[in-house]
Amino acid sequence: QFNLALSYENGEGVAQDYVEASRWFEKAAEQGDPSAQFNLGIMYDIGQGVAQSDKEAMEWYRKAAEKDHVNAQLNLGNMYSNGQAVAQDYEEAARWYLKAAEQGSPSAQNVLGWIHNRGWGVVQDYARAAKWYRKASEAGLANANFNLGVLFEEGLGVTKDQSKALKLFAEAGENGDESAQYHLGNWHYL
């Protein structure tokens, strides 16, 4: 059922049909398939093949997240962080981001670094922010390089090191991070 849903979603071997894809994702999701639950959550989230519904998206993301689907955990964290279908709750968002980060999601690691950096739903802790940014950076996430660079530039949670900051900004900029490119431009201007 899941594979058939993917075929309809991607138009592989059949005409692309999002309504039919959502129908097959739902059949597989109702049988407990976490990947189908996640994909159905996306369809509800963006209104593809089904009527857009934040409430339905959250329900399906939660079911998949509770079965350790890493991207569902990330998306559920995003919904709590953005107040999408629920009251904004940074503490609950942090809980889901942590689950995804511990499974190795670079995006979740970067966001977890950000919320520790800002103190959103957690105690502000620059050293923890640096830890999570570093993990995401090591996985190749350009924005994490930029975020870690800012901590080195300011000496927040790490020993201040301008050359390390500049290296991280350069790596992030080379990988398309616009914030890093802008920041580098300002450094060269000064």
Side-chain angles (χ1 to χ4, degrees):
Q1 293 172 331
F2 178 75
N3 289 337
L4 185 56
L6 286 177
S7 294
Y8 277 111
E9 182 180 41
N10 299 318
E12 294 174 357
V14 294
Q16 190 174 45
D17 185 337
Y18 295 124
V19 172
E20 198 63 20
S22 69
R23 197 169 72 77
W24 286 103
F25 277 136
E26 187 165 9
K27 287 179 185 288
E30 287 172 349
Q31 292 179 21
D33 182 320
S35 293
Q37 292 167 338
F38 170 70
N39 280 286
L40 189 57
I42 289 174
M43 296 190 97
Y44 277 108
D45 204 356
I46 63 175
Q48 188 173 62
V50 294
Q52 195 283 331
S53 171
D54 290 344
K55 183 180 175 204
E56 287 288 327
M58 179 165 243
E59 178 183 326
W60 289 111
Y61 287 152
R62 180 177 307 285
K63 287 179 181 186
E66 289 171 349
K67 292 180 182 159
D68 294 327
H69 191 287
V70 66
N71 290 325
Q73 292 169 337
L74 177 63
N75 285 9
L76 194 56
N78 289 339
M79 293 188 87
Y80 277 106
S81 181
N82 297 327
Q84 189 179 347
V86 292
Q88 191 172 48
D89 186 341
Y90 291 123
E91 199 170 310
E92 187 66 10
R95 191 172 79 79
W96 288 106
Y97 288 139
L98 178 61
K99 288 178 181 284
E102 287 176 338
Q103 288 196 73
S105 166
S107 295
Q109 292 165 344
N110 190 46
V111 172
L112 200 55
W114 183 257
I115 64 175
H116 279 287
N117 190 5
R118 298 289 186 232
W120 292 346
V122 297
V123 174
Q124 188 175 36
D125 184 335
Y126 294 119
R128 275 208 178 154
K131 169 194 163 186
W132 289 111
Y133 287 151
R134 187 172 282 116
K135 285 182 181 280
S137 173
E138 289 168 356
L141 193 65
N143 186 249
N145 282 350
F146 171 72
N147 291 334
L148 185 57
V150 170
L151 295 184
F152 275 105
E153 180 181 34
E154 302 295 327
L156 300 171
V158 294
T159 303
K160 189 171 185 171
D161 187 333
Q162 298 294 317
S163 65
K164 190 172 273 192
L166 187 56
K167 181 179 181 244
L168 287 162
F169 293 149
E171 287 174 13
E174 288 168 8
N175 288 306
D177 187 273
E178 292 177 7
S179 296
Q181 293 166 351
Y182 178 79
H183 208 73
L184 280 169
N186 284 339
W187 265 41
H188 290 294
Y189 181 72
L190 299 174

